[in-house]
Amino acid sequence: MPDPLCIRPAAATDDAAIQALIRTAFAATEYGHQGEAELVHRLADDGDVLLSLVAERDRAIVGHVLFSRMDVEADGVSLSGAGLGPVATAPDVQGQGIGGSLIRAGLQTLRERGIAISFVLGHQDYYPRFGYVPELAARFTSPFAGPYFMAMMLDSGAAWPQGGRADYAPAFGRLG
């Protein structure tokens, strides 16, 4: 029987394992590795990581999620925002809820830190289960606007902004 899953903040000593996990996880997808591991490294180098969590089982890192700083303006006012991604799970443990557990833990931490809104660019059948919706994101101009661009207010009682701008950290613009 495997050890229970432990979700914890990523440490500098986890960097090599995180990079290897991301490359392996994304290489197994329909689109293959698209530079996600390099993105994580660039976000860290730029100081734009808000939260990086790992899932550990049997002393091995089996999952990772990163939330990065976003420049968000809503209804003419600056709003604290976080971009979700990438999230990766080791191929041999995918489908066991590890990615979802990481995302939920990350969103809870962001709420505790007072982050107002989070955006994700991802699969329309997966991210709505966490509260992300394209209807909210559609109110914001962004280079990533479209059907896969979703957002959620981290305070579920907060009113949705009428419009604004949502810019990911500069590292996203440097993806090849």
Side-chain angles (χ1 to χ4, degrees):
M1 180 110 164
D3 286 342
L5 190 67
C6 171
I7 295 177
R8 62 171 176 78
T13 56
D14 298 326
D15 287 349
I18 290 169
Q19 294 288 314
L21 168 74
I22 293 170
R23 283 188 175 86
T24 301
F26 280 94
T29 68
E30 173 184 353
Y31 301 105
H33 177 63
Q34 301 281 315
E36 295 85 1
E38 292 78 9
L39 174 63
V40 168
H41 186 72
R42 288 178 184 153
L43 288 165
D45 284 351
D46 292 351
D48 286 325
V49 173
L50 288 176
L51 180 64
S52 179
L53 298 174
V54 294
E56 198 172 46
R57 181 178 284 155
D58 297 323
R59 294 188 289 191
I61 292 175
V62 296
H64 174 256
V65 68
L66 186 134
F67 290 87
S68 59
R69 184 177 333 280
M70 290 186 69
D71 182 15
V72 180
E73 175 268 317
D75 300 334
V77 177
S78 181
L79 200 61
S80 58
L84 164 59
V87 59
T89 305
D92 61 325
V93 295
Q94 288 179 0
Q96 297 180 20
I98 293 170
S101 294
L102 282 162
I103 292 168
R104 281 188 287 281
L107 291 171
Q108 183 57 39
T109 300
L110 294 175
R111 284 182 187 98
E112 292 166 2
R113 292 182 181 178
I115 303 297
I117 192 168
S118 179
F119 291 84
V120 67
L121 187 63
H123 200 285
Q124 293 171 300
D125 293 334
Y126 184 71
Y127 291 98
R129 70 185 72 183
F130 305 104
Y132 289 96
V133 293
E135 296 83 6
L136 176 57
R139 296 176 180 215
F140 292 83
T141 59
S142 172
F144 298 100
Y148 299 103
F149 189 52
M150 294 171 265
M152 69 181 293
M153 299 302 296
L154 292 176
D155 174 355
S156 60
W160 283 13
Q162 294 304 304
R165 174 188 45 76
D167 293 324
Y168 278 88
F172 283 87
R174 296 193 308 265
L175 280 175

Short mmCIF file of all heavy atoms in Angstrom, two decimals, residues 8 11-12 17 25-26 45 60 63 72 74-76 79 86 90 102 123 129 131 144 148 155 158 160 166:
data_model
loop_
_atom_site.label_atom_id
_atom_site.label_comp_id
_atom_site.label_asym_id
_atom_site.label_seq_id
_atom_site.Cartn_x
_atom_site.Cartn_y
_atom_site.Cartn_z
N ARG A 8 2.72 19.81 -0.36
CA ARG A 8 3.53 20.77 0.38
C ARG A 8 4.09 21.81 -0.59
O ARG A 8 4.13 21.59 -1.80
CB ARG A 8 4.67 20.06 1.10
CG ARG A 8 5.62 19.35 0.15
CD ARG A 8 6.85 18.82 0.87
NE ARG A 8 7.74 18.05 0.00
CZ ARG A 8 8.58 18.57 -0.87
NH1 ARG A 8 8.69 19.88 -1.02
NH2 ARG A 8 9.35 17.79 -1.62
N ALA A 11 10.22 23.18 -2.73
CA ALA A 11 11.48 23.70 -2.20
C ALA A 11 12.49 23.77 -3.34
O ALA A 11 12.33 23.10 -4.37
CB ALA A 11 12.00 22.79 -1.09
N ALA A 12 13.51 24.57 -3.16
CA ALA A 12 14.56 24.70 -4.19
C ALA A 12 15.17 23.34 -4.52
O ALA A 12 15.54 23.07 -5.66
CB ALA A 12 15.63 25.68 -3.73
N ALA A 17 13.53 17.47 -9.86
CA ALA A 17 12.43 16.52 -9.90
C ALA A 17 11.19 17.13 -10.55
O ALA A 17 10.49 16.46 -11.32
CB ALA A 17 12.09 16.02 -8.50
N ALA A 25 5.34 14.26 -17.93
CA ALA A 25 3.87 14.36 -17.96
C ALA A 25 3.38 14.95 -19.27
O ALA A 25 2.43 14.43 -19.87
CB ALA A 25 3.38 15.20 -16.78
N PHE A 26 4.01 16.00 -19.75
CA PHE A 26 3.54 16.64 -20.97
C PHE A 26 3.95 15.87 -22.22
O PHE A 26 3.25 15.93 -23.23
CB PHE A 26 3.99 18.10 -21.03
CG PHE A 26 3.11 18.99 -20.19
CD1 PHE A 26 3.45 19.30 -18.88
CD2 PHE A 26 1.93 19.50 -20.70
CE1 PHE A 26 2.64 20.10 -18.09
CE2 PHE A 26 1.10 20.31 -19.92
CZ PHE A 26 1.46 20.61 -18.62
N ASP A 45 12.75 32.51 -12.24
CA ASP A 45 13.85 33.46 -12.46
C ASP A 45 13.35 34.91 -12.46
O ASP A 45 14.05 35.80 -11.99
CB ASP A 45 14.57 33.18 -13.78
CG ASP A 45 15.48 31.98 -13.72
OD1 ASP A 45 15.70 31.44 -12.61
OD2 ASP A 45 15.97 31.56 -14.79
N ALA A 60 8.60 10.43 -3.36
CA ALA A 60 8.80 10.82 -4.76
C ALA A 60 7.78 11.89 -5.12
O ALA A 60 6.62 11.82 -4.71
CB ALA A 60 8.64 9.61 -5.68
N GLY A 63 3.41 15.01 -8.48
CA GLY A 63 2.57 16.06 -9.02
C GLY A 63 3.13 17.43 -8.69
O GLY A 63 3.87 17.59 -7.72
N VAL A 72 -3.70 42.34 -13.61
CA VAL A 72 -5.13 42.34 -13.89
C VAL A 72 -5.71 43.71 -13.53
O VAL A 72 -5.47 44.24 -12.45
CB VAL A 72 -5.86 41.23 -13.08
CG1 VAL A 72 -7.35 41.25 -13.38
CG2 VAL A 72 -5.26 39.87 -13.37
N ALA A 74 -9.55 45.46 -13.48
CA ALA A 74 -10.97 45.16 -13.58
C ALA A 74 -11.77 46.41 -13.24
O ALA A 74 -11.59 46.98 -12.17
CB ALA A 74 -11.35 44.02 -12.63
N ASP A 75 -12.62 46.82 -14.17
CA ASP A 75 -13.44 48.01 -13.97
C ASP A 75 -12.61 49.22 -13.56
O ASP A 75 -12.99 50.02 -12.71
CB ASP A 75 -14.54 47.74 -12.93
CG ASP A 75 -15.47 46.61 -13.35
OD1 ASP A 75 -15.62 46.38 -14.58
OD2 ASP A 75 -16.05 45.96 -12.47
N GLY A 76 -11.42 49.34 -14.17
CA GLY A 76 -10.55 50.48 -13.93
C GLY A 76 -9.69 50.42 -12.69
O GLY A 76 -8.98 51.37 -12.38
N LEU A 79 -6.41 44.59 -9.74
CA LEU A 79 -6.94 43.46 -8.99
C LEU A 79 -5.84 42.42 -8.85
O LEU A 79 -5.12 42.13 -9.82
CB LEU A 79 -8.13 42.87 -9.77
CG LEU A 79 -9.13 42.00 -9.07
CD1 LEU A 79 -9.84 42.77 -7.96
CD2 LEU A 79 -10.18 41.51 -10.08
N PRO A 86 1.76 25.70 -15.21
CA PRO A 86 1.22 24.39 -15.53
C PRO A 86 0.90 23.55 -14.29
O PRO A 86 1.36 23.84 -13.20
CB PRO A 86 2.33 23.74 -16.34
CG PRO A 86 3.60 24.37 -15.85
CD PRO A 86 3.21 25.78 -15.46
N ALA A 90 2.53 12.69 -12.66
CA ALA A 90 3.29 11.60 -13.27
C ALA A 90 2.33 10.68 -14.02
O ALA A 90 1.24 10.37 -13.52
CB ALA A 90 4.04 10.82 -12.19
N LEU A 102 -3.97 19.11 -5.92
CA LEU A 102 -3.01 20.21 -5.98
C LEU A 102 -3.70 21.53 -6.31
O LEU A 102 -3.43 22.56 -5.69
CB LEU A 102 -1.93 19.92 -7.02
CG LEU A 102 -0.85 18.94 -6.61
CD1 LEU A 102 -0.12 18.40 -7.84
CD2 LEU A 102 0.12 19.60 -5.64
N HIS A 123 -8.31 22.96 -20.62
CA HIS A 123 -9.39 22.12 -21.13
C HIS A 123 -10.74 22.48 -20.52
O HIS A 123 -10.89 22.52 -19.30
CB HIS A 123 -9.07 20.65 -20.86
CG HIS A 123 -9.82 19.72 -21.73
ND1 HIS A 123 -11.14 19.44 -21.53
CD2 HIS A 123 -9.43 19.02 -22.82
CE1 HIS A 123 -11.55 18.59 -22.45
NE2 HIS A 123 -10.53 18.32 -23.25
N ARG A 129 -14.75 22.26 -13.02
CA ARG A 129 -15.02 21.55 -11.75
C ARG A 129 -14.42 22.28 -10.54
O ARG A 129 -14.81 22.03 -9.41
CB ARG A 129 -14.54 20.11 -11.81
CG ARG A 129 -13.03 19.95 -11.81
CD ARG A 129 -12.59 18.51 -12.00
NE ARG A 129 -12.85 18.13 -13.38
CZ ARG A 129 -12.65 16.94 -13.88
NH1 ARG A 129 -12.20 15.97 -13.11
NH2 ARG A 129 -12.89 16.69 -15.14
N GLY A 131 -14.32 25.68 -10.51
CA GLY A 131 -14.97 26.99 -10.48
C GLY A 131 -14.59 27.92 -11.62
O GLY A 131 -15.11 29.03 -11.71
N PHE A 144 -4.48 35.72 -24.69
CA PHE A 144 -4.87 34.31 -24.65
C PHE A 144 -6.38 34.12 -24.69
O PHE A 144 -6.88 33.03 -24.44
CB PHE A 144 -4.29 33.64 -23.41
CG PHE A 144 -2.78 33.65 -23.39
CD1 PHE A 144 -2.09 34.57 -22.64
CD2 PHE A 144 -2.06 32.75 -24.16
CE1 PHE A 144 -0.70 34.60 -22.63
CE2 PHE A 144 -0.68 32.77 -24.17
CZ PHE A 144 0.00 33.69 -23.41
N TYR A 148 -10.73 28.52 -24.46
CA TYR A 148 -9.99 27.79 -23.43
C TYR A 148 -9.51 28.69 -22.29
O TYR A 148 -8.88 28.23 -21.36
CB TYR A 148 -8.80 27.06 -24.05
CG TYR A 148 -9.23 26.06 -25.09
CD1 TYR A 148 -9.11 26.33 -26.45
CD2 TYR A 148 -9.79 24.85 -24.71
CE1 TYR A 148 -9.53 25.42 -27.40
CE2 TYR A 148 -10.22 23.93 -25.65
CZ TYR A 148 -10.09 24.22 -26.99
OH TYR A 148 -10.52 23.31 -27.93
N ASP A 155 -13.14 34.76 -4.16
CA ASP A 155 -14.19 34.98 -3.17
C ASP A 155 -15.49 34.70 -3.91
O ASP A 155 -15.92 35.50 -4.74
CB ASP A 155 -14.16 36.41 -2.64
CG ASP A 155 -15.32 36.74 -1.72
OD1 ASP A 155 -16.24 35.90 -1.54
OD2 ASP A 155 -15.33 37.86 -1.18
N ALA A 158 -18.00 37.46 -4.35
CA ALA A 158 -17.63 38.72 -5.00
C ALA A 158 -18.36 38.88 -6.33
O ALA A 158 -18.56 37.92 -7.07
CB ALA A 158 -16.12 38.76 -5.23
N TRP A 160 -18.82 39.81 -10.17
CA TRP A 160 -17.96 39.73 -11.33
C TRP A 160 -17.69 41.12 -11.88
O TRP A 160 -18.62 41.92 -12.03
CB TRP A 160 -18.62 38.91 -12.42
CG TRP A 160 -18.60 37.43 -12.23
CD1 TRP A 160 -18.28 36.74 -11.09
CD2 TRP A 160 -18.94 36.45 -13.21
NE1 TRP A 160 -18.39 35.40 -11.32
CE2 TRP A 160 -18.79 35.19 -12.61
CE3 TRP A 160 -19.34 36.53 -14.53
CZ2 TRP A 160 -19.04 34.01 -13.29
CZ3 TRP A 160 -19.59 35.35 -15.22
CH2 TRP A 160 -19.43 34.11 -14.60
N ALA A 166 -6.40 41.25 -18.60
CA ALA A 166 -5.69 40.21 -17.84
C ALA A 166 -4.44 39.80 -18.60
O ALA A 166 -4.53 39.23 -19.69
CB ALA A 166 -6.60 39.00 -17.62
#
